[in-house]
Amino acid sequence: MSATGISVRGVEMVFHRKQESQVVLRDVTLDVAAGRLVTLLGPSGCGKSTLLKIVGGLLAPTSGSVTIGGRPAEEAVKARQIGLVFQRPALLPWKSALANVSFLNEIIGGRGAKGAARTTAERMLDLVGLGDAGTKLPEELSGGMAQRVSIARALALDPAILLMDEPFGALDAITRDRMNSSLLDIWSQTDKTIVFVTHSIAEAVFLSDEIHVMEANPGRIVETLTVELPRPRTAATLDDPRFVEYERHLRQGLVGGAIEGVTA
Amino acid sequence: MSADTIAQAVPTTRRRRPWAALGRGLGGIWPSALLATLAVVAWEIVVDVFDVSHFVIAKPSEIAEELVDKRELLLDALWITTEEIVYGFALSAVIGVLLALVVARFRWVDRALYPLIVLFQNVPKVALAPIFILWFGYGLTPKLLLVVVIAFFPITLNMRVGLQAVDGDLLLLMRSVGASRGQILRRIQIPTALPYLFAGMRIAITFCVIGAVVAEFAGASEGLGYLIQYGSTQLDTPLVFSGLTVISILGLALYYAMSALEWLVARRFPLPNAGQAQA
């Protein structure tokens, strides 16, 4: 399967609560080229998770459009081109890691698909480095391992696009760094387009080809930054002066701007 | 029995070390057993020392004697009451689970029916016993009816909570692959709800015992409830107490049978941190 790009055009999202209406997203336009890794970076409440759901066809925008590989997002969902990873692993606690990974393919393919689904699942567990943990139950896995299982589950659907909503946000800093490296490793072995939501500046710089910086009230994209750090990215990348410069620039925009806003 | 009685029964759900857990459970019994033994001994002594009339209270030794002497009478009655409880419980479970499934599946049924079910909980159902006797006579039917009316609610309530306790992200995932509502119910909601269901059933089984005894009080010609009432009209206090003893043991046995069943199911569907039971 060739990689598939995403095009978001003039997306507005308004939530109505009682008499009040809240603009969650205003005029969001962005393009994600096929096969790239793009992050949505911003503080809580800037609508980045909502935008991710809209891109994934799980939520219909108030206005505007999303196309995936030239087709409407809802069609991409029906064609099962979307893989989802959430902040929490959301595994079935009564199923083994392997069964959790193959579960969705078993739903899609019905009874006859079980064998093929299990084979795919084994391959995906290998890919995320859990080849020998297939029989373990979720409660026996660490947070990082459980999240690897949920990534394997998303990849097992062989989607063109992987949507990740703060997938490492609940992990400790060390595990998080390891997971970031692993993710890049996994990504380089596939041809997925990844949209990654985070509120960690360092994580965004380390992972991304492109960063869309978002602000709240109303949720909007305030800056798009292309990260021109060489790949593969490793621990050495963190010491690259350009990495430090990107980080400083983003921090100033997100944190510094807010401080100026308060004192002005 | 009312809607605001909260019975605490956290589903037990460990999978890997179940025998150890069971061992701890049994090991934990001995302080209670010691206390109960002391209470029985004290009871015997107090009744003896203060020479309380045996019309008022029976001594443990008298009860034990009665249990042996009237064992056939008691066993017959035990059989009748057990039948009422077990059939009544089975009916309650079927009705309770079906109701929860319907309520979970159809939002409008939930909106229309659920408030009425909760309202109905506030009717003192024990007071319905004479009406059921009036309608259905002295047979098994009015007993089953009273048992069901008392016991289905904790099952429905807990099952409904369990069906709704499903991880929202999992639902999104299921929808993202086009799973049907039936698939979501079968593959995710029902397994998630099982520990809740069993917590509800553990409460229901004790309610069933109450329902059966009360129904027998209201009108019966056999059973432990009948025997207790008969004994009290005859001033046969040892018979009353031995009936009470048998029914208590029955209640305990049924409760632990439920717990054992729950434990077996929890081994198959481990669910850490499942919710607390409500009744």
Side-chain angles (χ1 to χ4, degrees):
Chain A
M1 188 200 290
S2 69
T4 306
I6 304 167
S7 166
V8 178
R9 288 284 164 274
V11 161
E12 300 255 348
M13 190 73 206
V14 183
F15 285 145
H16 297 282
R17 283 204 189 85
K18 290 172 186 164
Q19 268 84 45
E20 279 176 57
S21 57
Q22 192 194 355
V23 182
V24 179
L25 290 172
R26 169 157 294 165
D27 194 25
V28 173
T29 294
L30 66 93
D31 285 295
V32 180
R36 308 205 92 188
L37 200 165
V38 165
T39 47
L40 305 174
L41 171 69
S44 303
C46 72
K48 51 194 195 295
S49 294
T50 306
L51 180 56
L52 199 73
K53 285 203 180 86
I54 292 173
V55 170
L58 297 167
L59 203 61
T62 310
S63 63
S65 70
V66 177
T67 56
I68 288 172
R71 298 189 301 173
E74 308 86 68
E75 276 185 38
V77 173
K78 286 198 190 107
R80 301 191 173 107
Q81 298 213 333
I82 309 285
L84 297 168
V85 180
F86 306 100
Q87 182 168 0
R88 291 175 306 114
L91 303 176
L92 296 173
W94 60 87
K95 283 187 183 284
S96 70
L98 183 73
N100 263 291
V101 175
S102 72
F103 179 62
L104 294 177
N105 276 325
E106 288 170 29
I107 295 268
I108 293 167
R111 298 219 177 274
K114 191 161 177 174
R118 291 284 159 127
T119 312
T120 309
E122 275 167 24
R123 236 182 33 241
M124 293 305 139
L125 277 181
D126 271 338
L127 182 65
V128 300
L130 288 180
D132 50 3
T135 56
K136 288 203 162 123
L137 282 174
E139 65 171 14
E140 298 169 300
L141 301 172
S142 68
M145 288 165 87
Q147 201 54 289
R148 281 173 198 270
V149 173
S150 93
I151 292 171
R153 175 180 60 191
L155 291 172
L157 296 169
D158 195 21
I161 292 173
L162 203 55
L163 302 178
M164 309 183 81
D165 191 355
E166 297 188 34
F168 310 137
L171 302 177
D172 66 84
I174 295 164
T175 308
R176 186 175 189 155
D177 286 349
R178 285 184 190 149
M179 293 297 287
N180 282 330
S181 294
S182 290
L183 177 64
L184 289 182
D185 199 38
I186 293 163
W187 177 58
S188 69
Q189 296 175 55
T190 62
D191 54 0
K192 310 298 176 203
T193 306
I194 299 183
V195 182
F196 190 103
V197 164
T198 183
H199 54 236
S200 159
I201 293 170
E203 186 172 69
V205 177
F206 183 74
L207 293 175
S208 310
D209 291 316
E210 207 165 57
I211 300 171
H212 296 281
V213 183
M214 297 185 70
E215 282 286 1
N217 299 318
R220 65 203 184 277
I221 292 175
V222 291
E223 188 189 352
T224 297
L225 182 74
T226 305
V227 181
E228 283 163 350
L229 291 166
R231 294 188 188 273
R233 292 179 190 168
T234 59
T237 308
L238 303 176
D239 301 325
D240 190 315
R242 284 172 293 173
F243 180 93
V244 179
E245 177 54 29
Y246 283 127
E247 214 187 344
R248 196 194 58 78
H249 169 79
L250 288 168
R251 181 165 294 118
Q252 207 159 43
L254 283 166
V255 185
I259 292 168
E260 273 169 45
V262 168
T263 52
Chain B
M1 257 180 290
S2 73
D4 47 9
T5 313
I6 302 292
Q8 297 205 339
V10 182
T12 44
T13 47
R14 294 267 106 188
R15 172 165 165 162
R16 286 293 144 161
R17 282 165 267 101
W19 293 112
L22 200 67
R24 271 200 304 280
L26 289 176
I29 282 175
W30 75 262
S32 318
L34 182 67
L35 192 62
T37 311
L38 286 175
V40 168
V41 171
W43 175 358
E44 182 83 29
I45 293 170
V46 166
V47 174
D48 248 354
V49 168
F50 294 97
D51 199 19
V52 185
S53 155
H54 67 263
F55 291 122
V56 176
I57 192 165
K59 286 190 292 187
S61 56
E62 285 172 332
I63 298 169
E65 218 172 292
E66 187 81 358
L67 283 172
V68 175
D69 288 350
K70 301 222 168 116
R71 61 183 176 280
E72 276 181 28
L73 189 67
L74 285 164
L75 278 176
D76 283 347
L78 172 65
W79 175 245
I80 299 291
T81 306
T82 306
E83 230 175 9
E84 292 164 4
I85 293 169
V86 171
Y87 292 161
F89 175 75
L91 268 175
S92 306
V94 171
I95 292 169
V97 167
L98 285 180
L99 210 56
L101 287 175
V102 170
V103 156
R105 175 65 182 81
F106 303 104
R107 238 177 114 90
W108 60 272
V109 178
D110 191 37
R111 300 255 285 276
L113 198 60
Y114 199 72
L116 295 182
I117 297 176
V118 174
L119 208 70
F120 177 65
Q121 265 320 96
N122 289 310
V123 176
K125 268 153 289 163
V126 170
L128 294 175
I131 301 172
F132 290 159
I133 304 289
L134 189 70
W135 290 347
F136 300 103
Y138 274 35
L140 187 60
T141 316
K143 278 105 191 169
L144 291 185
L145 206 58
L146 192 70
V147 167
V148 169
V149 151
I150 291 178
F152 84 95
F153 186 71
I155 295 177
T156 301
L157 181 74
N158 283 283
M159 182 80 182
R160 178 174 176 267
V161 170
L163 289 170
Q164 289 171 345
V166 170
D167 191 318
D169 290 342
L170 264 176
L171 291 182
L172 274 182
L173 270 179
M174 289 294 278
R175 254 183 272 146
S176 81
V177 298
S180 67
R181 291 200 62 165
Q183 281 175 317
I184 292 175
L185 191 67
R186 267 201 324 279
R187 307 295 296 268
I188 297 196
Q189 284 185 290
I190 290 177
T192 305
L194 281 181
Y196 294 83
L197 169 64
F198 275 97
M201 293 209 294
R202 247 194 298 163
I203 295 161
I205 195 82
T206 59
F207 285 9
C208 285
V209 177
I210 297 170
V213 171
V214 167
E216 285 177 10
F217 280 176
S221 50
E222 50 191 352
L224 285 168
Y226 165 77
L227 211 59
I228 291 168
Q229 208 184 28
Y230 173 81
S232 86
T233 58
Q234 302 299 309
L235 290 181
D236 187 349
T237 311
L239 181 62
V240 172
F241 274 87
S242 58
L244 213 57
T245 307
V246 173
I247 195 88
S248 303
I249 292 167
L250 174 61
L252 267 177
L254 289 170
Y255 179 85
Y256 282 111
M258 271 319 302
S259 301
L261 197 61
E262 179 184 356
W263 175 76
L264 284 173
V265 172
R267 261 185 359 142
R268 174 75 182 79
F269 293 103
L271 250 202
N273 310 320
Q276 270 189 353
Q278 303 168 52

